[in-house]
Amino acid sequence: METRELICINCPMGCPLTVTIDGENITVAGNTCPRGADYGKKEVTDPRRTVTSSVYVDGGKAVKVPVKTASDIPKEKIFDIMDVIRKTKAKAPVFIGDIIVADICGTGVNLVATKDVERV
Amino acid sequence: MYCREADVVIVGGGPAGLAAALAAKEAGIDKILILERDTQLGGILNQCIHNGFGLHTFKEELTGPEYAARFIKRVKEAGIEYLLGTMVVDLSPERVVTAMNREDGLFTVKAGAVILAMGCRERPRGALGIPGFRPAGIFSAGTAQRFVNVEGIMPGKEVVILGSGDIGLIMARRMTLEGAKVKVVAELMPYSGGLKRNIVQCLNDYDIPLKLSHTVVDIKGKERVEGVTIAEVDASMKPIPGTEEFYECDTLLLSCGLIPENELTTGAGIEMNPITGGAVVDNTLETSIPGVFACGNVLHVHDLVDYVSEEAANAGRNAASFVKSDKNQNKSEFIQVKTGRGVRYTVPRKIAPEYVDKDVLVRFRVDNVYKDVAIGIAFDGEVARSVKKRTVAPGEMEEIRIKKDELSAHPGCKEITIAFV
């Protein structure tokens, strides 16, 4: 049996979690909401994060458009995803929610725009 | 000079200004004018491209630009007038706002009510007293954030960050993702000024060390930063000789606190609170000048934009009632809100009992990290009740609600004290 002390990152409360791993059986204590229990379990089995960054835009009123992975992605893929983001260019106009890269790095998650950028 | 009028003038088109405008509109005010100095609405949210915004307001996790976009869309749909590229240069006690922009030149707006929503700015190097030359490569964390996220320019490759406020932590991750090496985050205080979740997801995730009770004692480099020396500090925050460590780097980011931007407020002669750096307000968020309200980071620095929006909506509604009451609200008596042991400040600082709806939300910060404390509300020195907290820290704003019933149960009360019991 193994226990791990974590801080939940789901919201600004930052609840201190104690996750107990007993083979297949994982229990979470210290959470104040169901999201905390989910986070605790995921963090010890399949840690995931949302990646946010920005990509250059061609022909837009802004130089860059901010982007995010539409949902969380496996933590170990963060730098692979950043490599793709750095090589990606969007074309104006861009609207919030537009898919900038579909199924980024085979995660099944799209990279989407988080701001509108008008054409010049 | 061109003169115009508006029922409610809002200085600043960031999250506070937008929420205040919408609330004033919903309260039935039509002639609203937002004055914004940037070329777009949304304020600092435009460069805060990370997620974590809106959990309270929208029950989902948004990035800064997405959070702003939801408010901007509603402001546009509501037909609320706003002027961009417009700098407010003066506010008079008679609520005349003087502003300028390229189209109208210098102009005045006679306002029924004014809502101050100018936000805050970062504490610069000059205010920190760090010795050393003034080479290129020293940025406030927010400036670096704008460079990377908006302008697409990387400020450097090897980075040391002084200060563990949320922007510093967010930038430690951001610079790392963009390929820079963040060597260390040094924090003068024995605790971090940022949210715990940001320590986990911005520092721990990327193995960036956080050195508490450490500060920068020297900056090497004349043209460009070549490195910084960090030393441990003692309880009185003095560097301890022999603890110096040199970090080679080309960039130093400063995340050492935010200062409410109150030149207009002090210029108008409004009473200020030296601890928050914002105006003294009552429970309606009205300042010492009748009809002038303040909300958001210009009033006191918030941790979460959600709370800014909530507070600003309150200011918007109260400004609307002020205008509708024919600008004549007679607040005869105030209950003063005082701080006691463990509590640094409260907002509001006074309560007008006849202007309490259901309850009064008192926001405050504690002066240190404490475990298992009880925060009490005392009416004229008698503790009426207390609220238990597992942990409190200066970096996380606390709140307590004083119910209307409690106020009526203490008629003639002069003073409410919020303090540890």
Side-chain angles (χ1 to χ4, degrees), chain B residues 106-414:
Chain B
L106 193 67
F107 64 98
T108 61
V109 192
K110 200 172 172 325
V114 175
I115 300 174
L116 304 172
M118 293 88 81
C120 58
R121 65 166 87 106
E122 298 177 277
R123 184 167 285 128
R125 180 191 170 182
L128 299 173
I130 307 168
F133 289 108
R134 295 181 168 193
I138 305 171
F139 304 91
S140 66
T143 304
Q145 187 179 46
R146 183 178 169 94
F147 275 137
V148 178
N149 295 348
V150 180
E151 315 278 347
I153 299 162
M154 272 295 275
K157 291 193 170 71
E158 296 194 305
V159 186
V160 168
I161 299 176
L162 174 61
S164 61
D166 286 312
I167 314 170
L169 301 176
I170 294 286
M171 281 314 290
R173 173 177 65 183
R174 187 75 187 111
M175 295 293 283
T176 306
L177 289 178
E178 288 293 341
K181 171 76 190 160
V182 178
K183 296 195 162 173
V184 68
V185 177
E187 168 61 54
L188 179 69
M189 305 302 284
Y191 49 82
S192 163
L195 296 171
K196 284 185 277 245
R197 67 189 305 224
N198 284 337
I199 308 250
V200 172
Q201 61 183 353
C202 298
L203 299 187
N204 300 357
D205 270 6
Y206 302 94
D207 300 317
I208 299 167
L210 170 63
K211 293 203 155 194
L212 299 173
S213 297
H214 276 71
T215 193
V216 171
V217 292
D218 194 29
I219 298 171
K220 189 186 167 201
K222 205 158 181 186
E223 297 300 320
R224 175 82 201 190
V225 173
E226 290 166 19
V228 301
T229 305
I230 284 171
E232 196 178 339
V233 296
D234 61 22
S236 60
M237 314 233 177
K238 290 234 165 62
I240 304 169
T243 62
E244 296 87 355
E245 247 184 297
F246 181 74
Y247 289 86
E248 211 171 277
C249 63
D250 57 18
T251 304
L252 172 65
L253 300 188
L254 305 171
S255 174
C256 303
L258 300 167
I259 305 162
E261 197 163 347
N262 271 305
E263 283 75 6
L264 281 178
T265 321
T266 51
I270 287 170
E271 187 192 348
M272 302 295 290
N273 178 345
I275 299 180
T276 54
V280 170
V281 293
D282 65 20
N283 52 308
T284 70
L285 300 163
E286 191 173 37
T287 67
S288 61
I289 295 182
V292 178
F293 299 80
C295 57
N297 281 355
V298 81
L299 179 58
H300 60 136
V301 174
H302 295 61
D303 312 330
L304 295 188
V305 71
D306 298 80
Y307 296 153
V308 167
S309 302
E310 186 194 350
E311 182 177 275
N314 219 343
R317 280 188 293 273
N318 294 327
S321 340
F322 178 83
V323 170
K324 285 190 185 162
S325 74
D326 234 2
K327 296 158 210 157
N328 185 20
Q329 288 184 330
N330 208 357
K331 289 178 181 168
S332 47
E333 278 174 56
F334 286 105
I335 304 170
Q336 302 297 320
V337 183
K338 303 274 181 186
T339 57
R341 189 167 64 89
V343 179
R344 270 191 78 224
Y345 76 79
T346 64
V347 170
R349 275 265 299 264
K350 48 188 182 179
I351 296 168
E354 66 268 50
Y355 288 90
V356 175
D357 193 14
K358 282 204 302 278
D359 54 19
V360 179
L361 175 62
V362 178
R363 293 216 153 107
F364 61 95
R365 282 186 197 274
V366 296
D367 60 7
N368 208 329
V369 178
Y370 298 96
K371 280 202 188 316
D372 297 315
V373 292
I375 296 151
I377 309 173
F379 293 84
D380 284 332
E382 295 272 316
V383 177
R385 67 178 163 102
S386 63
V387 181
K388 284 198 168 64
K389 295 268 173 185
R390 269 171 73 189
T391 54
V392 289
E396 312 211 359
M397 196 157 72
E398 299 292 335
E399 63 177 52
I400 220 163
R401 278 178 198 274
I402 305 174
K403 293 181 204 80
K404 191 172 184 163
D405 303 349
E406 289 180 284
L407 292 171
S408 357
H410 298 84
C413 171
K414 296 264 178 296

Side-chain angles (χ1 to χ4, degrees), chain A residues 7-14 16 35 49-50 52-54 56 63-64 66 68 75 78-79 82 86 96 114-115, chain B residues 40 46 49-51 55 63 65-66 69 148-152 174 176-178 196-197 200-201 205-206 304 390 396:
Chain A
I7 298 283
C8 180
I9 63 167
N10 265 323
C11 91
M13 280 180 66
R35 282 161 53 93
R49 297 287 185 269
T50 298
T52 61
S53 187
S54 56
Y56 288 96
V63 179
K64 293 193 100 174
K68 69 173 183 184
K75 204 172 148 184
I78 291 175
F79 283 97
M82 280 307 299
R86 269 201 295 277
I96 285 192
T114 56
K115 195 174 191 300
Chain B
Q40 57 181 339
N46 287 311
I49 64 168
H50 53 280
N51 61 335
L55 274 166
T63 64
E66 290 172 310
V148 178
N149 295 348
V150 180
E151 315 278 347
R174 187 75 187 111
T176 306
L177 289 178
E178 288 293 341
K196 284 185 277 245
R197 67 189 305 224
V200 172
Q201 61 183 353
D205 270 6
Y206 302 94
L304 295 188
R390 269 171 73 189
E396 312 211 359

Side-chain angles (χ1 to χ4, degrees), chain A residues 28-105:
Chain A
V28 180
N31 55 302
T32 44
C33 79
R35 282 161 53 93
D38 287 348
Y39 171 79
K41 279 181 192 154
K42 255 182 165 179
E43 191 62 12
V44 297
T45 50
D46 170 30
R48 297 175 83 91
R49 297 287 185 269
T50 298
V51 176
T52 61
S53 187
S54 56
V55 302
Y56 288 96
V57 191
D58 270 337
K61 278 193 174 171
V63 179
K64 293 193 100 174
V65 63
V67 294
K68 69 173 183 184
T69 52
S71 65
D72 50 12
I73 51 88
K75 204 172 148 184
E76 77 267 10
K77 293 266 188 180
I78 291 175
F79 283 97
D80 297 341
I81 287 171
M82 280 307 299
D83 280 341
V84 174
I85 287 175
R86 269 201 295 277
K87 288 175 197 140
T88 302
K89 262 196 166 192
K91 212 170 165 264
V94 183
F95 299 100
I96 285 192
D98 279 4
I99 296 172
I100 305 295
V101 180
D103 182 22
I104 192 161
C105 298

